[in-house]
Each structure stands twice: as C-alpha cells, then as structure tokens.
Amino acid sequence: MISCLDFLSFVLEWIYVFVLFKMIHTFLPLRKNLLLRWAAFFAGGGLFTVIIYSNDLAGLLGAFLGMLGYMAVFHQGHWVEKITAILVFYPAFIAVNYLMQDVGSRCFFFVTNAPGEMSAGWTKEQLLFSTLFHMLSLLLRLLFWILAWRILGKYLQQITWNLSVKMWLVIDVLMLAPFVAIFTMLYFMPENPLLVYPICGASVFSSFGCMYLASYICLSVQTRYRVQELELKQAYYQERIKEEERVRAVYHDMKNHLLVLEGQIQSQETAGMIQKLQQEVESYEDYVNTGSTILDIILREKAEIARKKQIDLSVAADLRGVDFMEPLDISTIFGNGLDNAIEASEKLTEEQRVILAKAGRVQNFFSVLIENNYAEEAKDRKKRTAKQDDFLHGFGILNMEKAVKKYHGQLVAKGENGKFTLKILIPISQ
C-alpha cells in the first residue's frame, strides 16, 4: 500500500512540475535548443519541488539561486524580463510548497499523535498515514496549479516580450513586496500559522495579480498601436478618395481633349497613340465599381501593388445593399485581408501567385472570401507574423476579427495544403 502511494506521489509530483514548467515558459520563452528544453524540464523537477520549512535559510536561498540560474541558462529574453519571471513565480511556488508541506504535516500529527521524529519509532499505520497525507498534499498542490493555469493561461499567452524596460521595472517594483514578505516571514518569523499562512496567501495572490498586470499592460500598449494604425489608415484613405476625385476629373477632361485631337489629326500613327491613351483612360474609369468608394480605392491600390509584384489578383465585389458598415471597418477587413494575401504570395514562385477575392450579399448575409496560396513552413506558434517586429505587426487578423464582431459576424481563417482561406459572414439587419 505504501509503495502504491509512493508511486502516486511520484506521478503527481511530475505532473505538477509539467504544469508549472508550462506556465513559466509561456511567460518567458525557452531557448530553441531541444536538449536545453529537455534539460530545463528535468531541472525544474529538482527546483520546483523544493521543500521549504520555517527558518530554513538554506532552502530559501538555494531555491532563489536555483531560480536565478534556471532563468539564465534555459530561458530567452532580456535580463529585466528574467528578473520579472523570478519575482513573479518564486514567491508563488515557494509559498504554495510551504503551505502544502506544513498543512499536510500538521494534519498528520493531529490525526496520528505520532512523535515529532521518525527515528522515535513510527508504527506501520503511522508510516502509512504519513505517506497518505504526503500524497494528498501533492494532489492539492497539483489541483491548485491546474486551476491557476486554467485561470491565468490566457493572460500568460497575451504577454509579449517587447515591453520597454521601464514597463517591466514597474512590475518588478510591485513584486518586491511579496518577494521580501515571503522570504522574511519564512525565515525570521516564529512558526505561527496565524502569521505565516496569510502572508503566503497574499504572496501567491500578488504573484498572480502581477501576471494579469503584465498581460493588461501588453494589451493596452498593443491596443494603442492598433488604434493609431487604424486612424492613420482612415486618414490615408480619406486623402486617397479626394485624390481619386481629382484624378477622375483630370482623366475626364483628358478624354474630351483626346476626342478633339482625334478629329483634327490625320496621321495614322498619331491616331493609334490617341486610341491607346483613350483605352487606358477608359480602363481607369471603369476598373472597379463596387458601390463603396473606399473599397474602390483599396482594390485599386492593392491591384497596383499586386501587378508590380507579378501577382494575379482577381476581384469580384459588390457592396450595393451593404451600407451599414463604416468605411474604417471596410478598410480594416479588405485592406488587411489583401495585405496578408499579397505578403504570402510574394514568397511563392510566379505561377503560384494567385489571389481570389469575392464579396457581396448572399441572402441576408454579407459574405467575404479571400483565397491565396502560401508557403507551408514550420512557424513559432507564439508569433503572430513572420516579420521581425511582431509587436507592431501581425495585428491584421486581430483587427479584422474585432471589426467583424462589431457587426455580430464570424471570421474563419484556415490554412491547409498550401492554400489559405479567409471567410467572413456578417448578418445584414432587416
């Protein structure tokens, strides 16, 4: 029976190591080397399971120095980010380890009335209860960290590594309080649960609160950049609309002038040149008419970019009857969608550079479809974009989702067998 409980304790301990390992490397990425990743996991088995007692300076310092070395050896990132990870996770797992160990021990001695030292002669029943309470304390610790991961996982995934040093230092200053509190309480204060337990609980709460704070700061900064980007795009397209109107007026006059010249000049060669110019003017005026001025501008601009990059862009769009969408949302959906398709097509051979875009009303829905080929490559799942500065880039899909949700629509993006498909369906209010 004791052997079975010991085996269960072993399994629970390593599952706990995996959960905490996943949380930490979600907060701060591991180095790319596969051997280092495995080494980080097994090193975490010795570090995260450290048992802390009251007045245990060696255990507290050893765990801190171990955490310091662990971050330095196995994790990427700036030094201030590594310090943040230590200040966030060290008080939490030290406090939880201490609480589970201390509570399990007190419950065991309360139930069994066993002598304080095992060497004093524990009975087989007491040994069994000792193993049982140890296993239960490990189970509670595991359940606690699984719950923490369920609650905090999405916030950890939202944290980027591009915050400024000042932003990280704000979090570090806030985390100094629980870090100093847990260290001081466990070493200097008497072994009194009424004093130690609330401090441990507050330390854990502060650590988790700082994880949320880091996520909130990241999202706030990203939102600010997205708003600025959208405002710049809106201003840009408004200027393009004015420019388009001016150019159309010039082309209209040019067409009339060409008609006059065509009637006056008898040279066959000159007449041929005039006819060619007339065709270009007509193709410009009739190139696209979707029923939305801003979409006309966007499609004309993207078509010119695609032409320069030898990309075959085919568009069929009709926004007549879809007058409920704001121009900024139209530019967000089509501008980002076509930008992403063009960027993916650039990496392909010329014969594979094909983009299909369709948009229009289908019964009581506004439907958008953008398809393009792409190069299937192994990508880091945490990165939103292939560009180096993924903090400022890679918000295309995020912005589009936000615009679509504004109208209670759905966006589905799927890449399979070298083809990327973006589908949007927005209900049209009757």
Side-chain angles (χ1 to χ4, degrees):
M1 185 65 178
I2 292 177
S3 298
C4 291
L5 292 175
D6 282 334
F7 177 74
L8 283 174
S9 298
F10 175 81
V11 172
L12 292 172
E13 200 159 62
W14 277 102
I15 296 175
Y16 151 73
V17 169
F18 173 77
V19 173
L20 191 55
F21 170 79
K22 188 172 180 64
M23 288 184 70
I24 292 175
H25 85 70
T26 302
F27 183 90
L28 195 67
L30 289 167
R31 298 191 187 276
K32 300 295 184 182
N33 187 283
L34 184 60
L35 291 177
L36 278 179
R37 288 172 176 257
W38 279 104
F41 175 71
F42 288 109
L47 176 61
F48 306 149
T49 58
V50 62
I51 299 175
I52 302 296
Y53 301 94
S54 296
N55 310 120
D56 184 10
L57 180 61
L60 289 168
L61 280 178
F64 173 71
L65 294 175
M67 192 74 173
L68 197 64
Y70 186 86
M71 288 294 163
V73 173
F74 298 116
H75 284 269
Q76 304 179 48
H78 194 269
W79 63 268
V80 72
E81 297 164 1
K82 295 182 179 182
I83 290 176
T84 303
I86 294 170
L87 293 176
V88 166
F89 284 98
Y90 175 83
F93 82 79
I94 290 295
V96 173
N97 284 4
Y98 173 83
L99 286 173
M100 297 305 172
Q101 169 70 18
D102 194 67
V103 170
S105 176
R106 289 179 186 278
C107 290
F108 163 72
F109 286 114
F110 177 78
V111 171
T112 63
N113 291 317
E117 296 293 335
M118 185 176 176
S119 58
W122 286 0
T123 65
K124 288 185 177 180
E125 185 181 25
Q126 288 170 338
L127 288 172
L128 177 62
F129 270 102
S130 174
T131 309
L132 176 62
F133 277 105
H134 177 65
M135 188 270 292
L136 289 175
S137 66
L138 294 179
L139 177 61
L140 286 175
R141 182 179 66 177
L142 174 60
L143 293 175
F144 172 84
W145 281 106
I146 290 176
L147 179 62
W149 170 247
R150 293 281 295 178
I151 295 173
L152 297 170
K154 63 179 181 179
Y155 299 114
L156 291 172
Q157 292 170 358
Q158 290 168 349
I159 296 173
T160 65
W161 318 305
N162 302 73
L163 293 183
S164 67
V165 172
K166 290 182 179 179
M167 293 177 183
W168 285 116
L169 287 176
V170 169
I171 300 172
D172 293 346
V173 169
L174 293 175
M175 278 308 303
L176 279 177
F179 178 85
V180 173
I182 195 69
F183 198 97
T184 304
M185 181 62 68
L186 292 183
Y187 178 62
F188 291 105
M189 297 299 290
E191 191 174 347
N192 185 343
L194 294 177
L195 293 175
V196 178
Y197 288 8
I199 296 297
C200 289
S203 297
V204 174
F205 183 79
S206 297
S207 294
F208 292 169
C210 282
M211 294 180 197
Y212 172 78
L213 177 62
S215 170
Y216 178 80
I217 292 174
C218 286
L219 287 177
S220 297
V221 175
Q222 292 170 5
T223 300
R224 186 182 69 185
Y225 278 114
R226 287 203 294 266
V227 170
Q228 290 178 350
E229 181 185 11
L230 292 175
E231 288 176 347
L232 288 173
K233 281 188 175 181
Q234 184 180 28
Y236 168 75
Y237 283 122
Q238 286 175 344
E239 289 297 321
R240 285 297 305 268
I241 289 173
K242 293 179 182 178
E243 183 68 16
E244 182 81 3
E245 291 174 352
R246 188 187 68 83
V247 171
R248 282 182 182 276
V250 171
Y251 271 47
H252 179 75
D253 291 342
M254 185 182 297
K255 183 172 66 174
N256 292 334
H257 295 328
L258 289 172
L259 288 173
V260 173
L261 289 173
E262 187 179 24
Q264 293 179 347
I265 299 177
Q266 301 300 323
S267 168
Q268 187 174 2
E269 182 179 354
T270 305
M273 293 174 61
I274 291 174
Q275 287 181 350
K276 185 177 180 181
L277 286 173
Q278 286 176 328
Q279 291 173 357
E280 291 182 359
V281 170
E282 290 173 357
S283 65
Y284 180 88
E285 290 185 331
D286 300 332
Y287 180 78
V288 65
N289 183 13
T290 65
S292 168
T293 305
I294 193 166
L295 183 57
D296 293 348
I297 299 295
I298 293 170
L299 293 179
R300 190 187 302 280
E301 180 184 69
K302 303 310 177 187
E304 180 64 19
I305 295 173
R307 186 186 63 79
K308 290 179 179 178
K309 297 182 177 181
Q310 289 80 48
I311 298 172
D312 182 7
L313 173 59
S314 177
V315 178
D318 186 356
L319 267 67
R320 295 175 182 86
V322 186
D323 54 359
F324 61 93
M325 294 185 65
E326 297 180 8
L328 181 58
D329 296 321
I330 293 174
S331 70
T332 298
I333 292 172
F334 289 94
N336 286 310
L338 291 173
D339 280 343
N340 291 342
I342 290 171
E343 183 180 336
S345 299
E346 285 184 272
K347 302 171 184 176
L348 302 172
T349 58
E350 189 170 336
E351 60 272 14
Q352 293 179 302
R353 297 178 183 179
V354 178
I355 300 173
L356 172 65
K358 293 181 179 180
R361 180 167 181 163
V362 179
Q363 295 183 354
N364 293 328
F365 292 91
F366 174 55
S367 172
V368 177
L369 171 68
I370 299 177
E371 288 183 342
N372 61 273
N373 298 321
Y374 74 99
E376 294 186 277
E377 299 172 350
K379 297 181 180 179
D380 186 347
R381 294 181 65 183
K382 277 192 72 71
K383 291 183 75 63
R384 297 178 302 272
T385 176
K387 298 177 182 177
Q388 290 183 347
D389 186 3
D390 73 326
F391 185 67
L392 296 181
H393 296 286
F395 294 118
I397 293 292
L398 296 178
N399 287 336
M400 293 169 72
E401 286 178 340
K402 188 175 180 181
V404 170
K405 287 179 180 178
K406 179 177 177 181
Y407 302 98
H408 310 290
Q410 291 185 333
L411 181 149
V412 177
K414 182 179 180 182
E416 191 175 32
N417 298 326
K419 176 170 286 189
F420 184 83
T421 303
L422 177 72
K423 294 181 180 180
I424 295 173
L425 207 59
I426 298 175
I428 299 176
S429 177
Q430 297 301 313

